[in-house]
Amino acid sequence: MKQVIVAKSAGFCAGVAHSVALAERELSAGTPLWCLGELIHNRDEVARLCAMGMRVADTVEEIPEGSAVLLRSHGVGKAVYDALERRRCRIIDGTCGRVKYIHRIADRAQAEGKSLIVFGQADHPEVQGICGWCADSSVAQSVEELECLLHKCSELNNRGTVVVFQSTETQEHLKKSKEIQKKICTNAEFFDTICDATQIRQSEALDFGQKCDAVVVIGGKHSANSRHLVEICAEVCDKVLFVENAAELALSPLAALDTVGITAGASVPGRIIKEVEQKMCDEINQTVEVNEAAAVEETAAVETEKSFEELLEDSIKTIYNGETVKGIVAAITPTEVTVDLGTKHSGYIPVEDFADENGTKIEDLIHIGDEVEACVVRVNDVEGTVMLSKRRLDAVKNWEDVERACEDETVVEGVVTEENKGGIVVSVKGIRVFVPASQSGLPRDAEMSQLLKQKVQLRITEVNKGRRRVVGSIRAVTAKARREAIAKIWDEIEIGKRYDGVVKSLTSYGAFVDIGGVDGMVHVSELSWKRISKPADVVSVGDKINVYVINFDKETHKISLGYKDPNENPWSKFMEQYKVGDIAPVTVVKLMTFGAFAEVVPGVDGLIHISQIANRRIGQPGEVLTVGDVVDAKITAIDEEKHKVSLSIRALCEPAPAAPKAAQETEEEEEAVAPEADALVYEVSETGESTGIAPEDTEE
């Protein structure tokens, strides 16, 4: 590097600077300050403020009632303001003025019954906050998505559409969006809500990209405006480095360049920009000093260590085809790497020889001054050049590595490059390794194409150097890993231990879950506290769920798993909420000959014995009740051990007129057949449903 220039617009915008100033003011005054979300998209700055005492909460519920809460410049939805007010929090509003203006547009659209489209990143907090001011809102993340949304709004023929832009969006997107508006939805209202500071920063970044050999963009990887700066610079500049701070900046890719520009996103404090600039300037000064010292040393060394005859002999040294030589990288172009061999010949290696499977740029793989070893392919004495091949030399070495891996049965890594009739081809250090379909690790009828471009581990099973044939097996590696995983699970398994698993299959009585090589069964009664008819009501094949061990048998290799959260036990909730003598609104869920079952709370049913349904004699519960009825009932008994509840509607009714003696005797006889005491005792299935089995005492 010879020169470093810094963009005038780099660093904090007014909105970010204001929110940081608010935080510093409150923290300096000793205020216990909470910030809803990261204040700005800069980890270093957030860490500095947290060290001063600021605490970050992801949700309103995490913030204690009555606390001081700073709203960041991105802004929040109306519901967040309401929630903070309900918690009696002191709101310190750091929302950017431009963002507040967008909020007012969205709020007006809501009041007028219009649809709102926000052009920006759907997961960005600013966009989420804007959508929080209009119920009928949607997000377009590209010009194509905006076009689809405008078509949809036009077809619905609603009361109108309003389009706003995330304050950090690009002018290019705004321009293309307005062109689409003219063609599709002329009655849509478009508001240019891109921040003026953003426009200036992006314009300056474009200028830097055009006139500098490289541009360093400083900003958080999750910062929208910083990423836009990278995209703008990359369109006109071949070398763009994206870093968060000086520690991330690698100077080697910039060493051979003349002018390097520095710009920064709106969330980058000036001190970080200064640190990056200082690091680059120090490198420039150090390079100048090293070059001057090296020149002096080289001159002295040539004069004292080598005579003219010796230098002449080195320069006319003969190079032969097939010979292995070493040299120093002197220059790098888009097509070749020039190598100084210390002779009269100048060597060059095609850039393709350095290409790796990840598509890494040549500047990141090799640098000027590096030593490189290659094989001589062709010597041109007339032009004084030597064509070298690094790939050929690497191939020889890699064949030796592959042969050794086959002998030692070690695991190697490669990338799947193609699919053929019998299997797939994996590139391992540039060598084609054929993996038969039976050894791919996939089911018999699976598509091999799903492995393309994936990095896989395999074991070399056959090497025929004469035929240039190598065969490998992915299945051998996965099978071994699976056996080790299974052994580890059985060694460490214990009741109550939790695992992340995948639902493999469903039956009528439960779900089988793979917890890392071992299948366990979640019984239907352990899937949900609620009443379900089949496992598919809760989970599906392929779902990733968190389960815990209820029981296991190492001899039979069977594991019983639980899925429903013990903390959500409806019986516990019932016991916290009700006691004997309480009156509860209940829902009739099932009618039996001896009474009716009613849901007291979700997951807990009680029995209303036929004698407790009305203050008169009835022949069957259906004369008074229907499934789905909601009635008030008194809790007359609770069996905590058996989790059973007895209910009474009759206890809330006024006494019936005295019955004739004959009728009383008949009623007493019927009650002897179905006494009230039996209302407490009934059977419940494993799913938590009433089985309809008659009370225990009457079975005798």
Side-chain angles (χ1 to χ4, degrees):
M1 288 179 292
K2 296 181 180 179
Q3 183 184 16
V4 175
I5 54 177
V6 181
K8 294 180 180 178
S9 61
F12 280 174
C13 65
V16 172
H18 174 63
S19 62
V20 172
L22 287 176
E24 290 176 336
R25 184 191 69 189
E26 295 293 331
L27 293 170
S28 299
T31 304
L33 183 66
W34 285 82
C35 182
L36 189 56
E38 285 190 350
L39 183 62
I40 60 175
H41 284 159
N42 187 281
R43 294 184 179 89
D44 291 350
E45 187 67 4
V46 171
R48 182 183 73 85
L49 294 172
C50 287
M52 293 176 64
M54 184 179 75
R55 285 172 288 183
V56 179
D58 294 327
T59 62
V60 173
E61 289 71 22
E62 296 177 37
I63 302 173
E65 292 189 3
S67 300
V69 182
L70 174 62
L71 300 182
R72 53 188 175 178
S73 59
H74 296 126
V76 296
K78 187 176 185 301
V80 177
Y81 282 92
D82 296 339
L84 290 172
E85 288 177 357
R86 286 195 298 270
R87 297 179 73 86
R88 300 186 303 278
C89 293
R90 180 168 71 90
I91 299 175
I92 304 166
D93 201 341
T95 305
C96 170
R98 172 68 62 167
V99 177
K100 274 192 170 295
Y101 168 63
I102 305 175
H103 288 178
R104 289 195 293 272
I105 296 174
D107 192 28
R108 187 169 69 248
Q110 162 84 6
E112 295 173 359
K114 296 181 179 179
S115 298
L116 176 72
I117 300 177
V118 185
F119 193 109
Q121 296 177 337
D123 59 349
H124 196 281
E126 179 186 321
V127 174
Q128 294 172 349
I130 295 169
C131 291
W133 288 89
C134 182
D136 183 14
S137 61
S138 51
V139 180
Q141 299 192 107
S142 65
V143 177
E144 292 75 15
E145 288 185 19
L146 177 63
E147 185 173 0
C148 292
L149 289 173
L150 286 174
H151 271 300
K152 183 178 179 181
C153 292
S154 179
E155 291 170 0
L156 292 174
N157 193 26
N158 58 8
R159 297 176 64 181
T161 304
V162 174
V163 181
V164 296
F165 291 78
Q166 185 177 341
S167 63
T168 55
E169 265 300 337
T170 64
Q171 288 294 317
E172 184 66 18
H173 283 162
L174 175 65
K175 179 181 177 182
K176 291 181 179 179
S177 300
K178 288 186 175 180
E179 291 174 357
I180 290 174
Q181 177 218 4
K182 295 176 182 177
K183 299 176 183 178
I184 301 173
C185 194
T186 55
N187 65 337
E189 293 181 77
F190 268 62
F191 290 88
D192 178 3
T193 53
I194 299 176
C195 178
D196 296 335
T198 299
Q199 297 179 34
I200 295 172
R201 185 179 289 103
Q202 292 175 356
S203 176
E204 196 168 13
L206 179 64
D207 180 57
F208 267 38
Q210 292 171 335
K211 70 182 182 182
C212 296
D213 299 313
V215 179
V216 175
V217 179
I218 310 170
K221 298 298 188 295
H222 53 320
S223 168
N225 71 85
S226 298
R227 290 200 300 270
H228 285 319
L229 293 179
V230 174
E231 294 167 2
I232 291 170
C233 292
E235 290 178 359
V236 294
C237 184
D238 294 333
K239 188 177 289 297
V240 179
L241 304 183
F242 189 19
V243 300
E244 289 195 8
N245 49 46
E248 285 189 9
L249 178 62
L251 296 174
S252 52
L254 309 175
L257 305 179
D258 290 333
T259 304
V260 179
I262 299 175
T263 187
S267 298
V268 181
R271 59 183 178 80
I272 293 181
I273 300 173
K274 190 63 179 177
E275 288 170 3
V276 173
E277 180 187 12
Q278 189 62 49
K279 182 175 182 178
M280 296 169 70
C281 291
D282 291 344
E283 179 67 12
I284 293 174
N285 296 333
Q286 184 178 355
T287 302
V288 172
E289 293 172 1
V290 169
N291 289 342
E292 291 176 351
V296 173
E297 290 179 6
E298 184 178 355
T299 302
V302 170
E303 292 175 352
T304 58
E305 294 180 8
K306 288 194 174 185
S307 64
F308 174 77
E309 290 79 7
E310 290 172 327
L311 292 172
L312 179 61
E313 183 179 350
D314 288 343
S315 68
I316 61 175
K317 179 181 177 181
T318 304
I319 297 177
Y320 300 96
N321 291 345
E323 182 181 355
T324 299
V325 296
K326 291 182 179 180
I328 303 299
V329 177
I332 301 174
T333 71
T335 58
E336 63 186 38
V337 175
T338 303
V339 180
D340 182 2
L341 301 174
T343 69
K344 65 179 181 179
H345 295 89
S346 175
Y348 66 93
I349 305 173
V351 166
E352 292 78 12
D353 279 19
F354 295 90
D356 66 359
E357 293 153 349
N358 299 320
T360 309
K361 292 183 179 180
I362 183 65
E363 294 86 355
D364 297 328
L365 295 172
I366 194 167
H367 310 99
I368 295 174
D370 289 353
E371 184 179 65
V372 63
E373 188 176 20
C375 175
V376 177
V377 177
R378 185 171 60 252
V379 179
N380 189 329
D381 290 321
V382 176
E383 297 181 359
T385 60
V386 178
M387 181 179 178
L388 305 172
S389 174
K390 182 177 179 295
R391 182 172 292 177
R392 288 191 186 183
L393 185 62
D394 289 343
V396 174
K397 295 180 179 179
N398 293 339
W399 266 101
E400 296 174 356
D401 292 341
V402 168
E403 288 178 324
R404 193 178 304 110
C406 182
E407 294 172 2
D408 300 341
E409 296 186 352
T410 55
V411 177
V412 297
E413 196 173 74
V415 175
V416 180
T417 57
E418 60 182 273
E419 172 194 9
N420 57 33
K421 187 176 181 180
I424 56 175
V425 175
V426 181
S427 176
V428 178
K429 295 184 176 181
I431 296 176
R432 288 166 52 89
V433 179
F434 173 68
V435 177
S438 62
Q439 298 300 314
S440 66
L442 296 178
R444 179 174 297 179
D445 298 328
E447 293 290 336
M448 296 290 108
S449 57
Q450 64 182 283
L451 292 176
L452 288 175
K453 297 183 180 180
Q454 288 193 21
K455 188 175 289 185
V456 295
Q457 290 187 325
L458 64 156
R459 204 174 71 198
I460 305 299
T461 57
E462 178 188 339
V463 177
N464 189 327
K465 195 170 182 179
R467 297 179 58 188
R468 309 289 292 179
R469 174 181 169 84
V470 182
V471 180
S473 172
I474 298 173
R475 181 181 176 183
V477 177
T478 56
K480 181 181 178 182
R482 185 176 179 85
R483 288 194 299 271
E484 292 175 350
I486 291 173
K488 183 178 180 182
I489 286 177
W490 284 113
D491 287 342
E492 299 176 355
I493 194 169
E494 57 185 27
I495 293 176
K497 188 169 184 177
R498 287 191 168 271
Y499 293 93
D500 289 323
V502 179
V503 179
K504 305 298 289 185
S505 62
L506 300 177
T507 67
S508 60
Y509 52 84
F512 286 92
V513 180
D514 182 352
I515 57 174
V518 178
D519 286 353
M521 202 270 283
V522 184
H523 192 270
V524 65
S525 62
E526 294 297 333
L527 282 170
S528 175
W529 291 109
K530 297 180 180 179
R531 186 183 298 105
I532 61 173
S533 59
K534 56 185 181 300
D537 293 340
V538 180
V539 295
S540 303
V541 174
D543 285 355
K544 295 180 180 179
I545 62 176
N546 185 264
V547 293
Y548 56 90
V549 178
I550 295 177
N551 206 348
F552 62 90
D553 188 332
K554 290 188 176 181
E555 293 183 1
T556 60
H557 281 194
K558 291 184 178 180
I559 303 175
S560 295
L561 301 172
Y563 176 59
K564 60 186 183 183
D565 188 352
N567 296 324
E568 296 297 321
N569 188 337
W571 182 259
S572 299
K573 293 183 177 180
F574 167 76
M575 292 300 295
E576 291 175 1
Q577 189 173 353
Y578 293 106
K579 62 183 183 296
V580 174
D582 286 352
I583 298 172
V586 300
T587 303
V588 178
V589 295
K590 196 167 187 178
L591 299 178
M592 307 297 293
T593 57
F594 55 85
F597 289 100
E599 183 182 71
V600 186
V601 297
V604 175
D605 292 349
L607 173 64
I608 310 174
H609 192 267
I610 189 170
S611 64
Q612 298 299 315
I613 292 177
N615 60 355
R616 58 184 174 81
R617 184 176 62 82
I618 60 175
Q620 56 184 3
E623 295 178 11
V624 177
L625 299 175
T626 305
V627 173
D629 285 352
V630 178
V631 297
D632 287 337
K634 185 176 183 179
I635 299 173
T636 57
I638 298 175
D639 188 333
E640 295 188 33
E641 182 179 349
K642 295 182 178 181
H643 288 191
K644 295 179 180 180
V645 183
S646 289
L647 303 171
S648 173
I649 299 175
R650 192 177 77 176
L652 303 179
C653 299
E654 294 183 2
K661 183 177 181 182
Q664 289 180 358
E665 292 175 353
T666 303
E667 186 175 341
E668 290 172 358
E669 291 174 359
E670 291 180 353
E671 290 186 358
V673 176
E676 288 184 38
D678 290 342
L680 184 62
V681 184
Y682 57 93
E683 295 295 328
V684 178
S685 72
E686 292 183 20
T687 63
E689 294 185 26
S690 305
T691 62
I693 298 175
E696 295 173 355
D697 290 350
T698 59
E699 290 178 350
E700 299 177 1

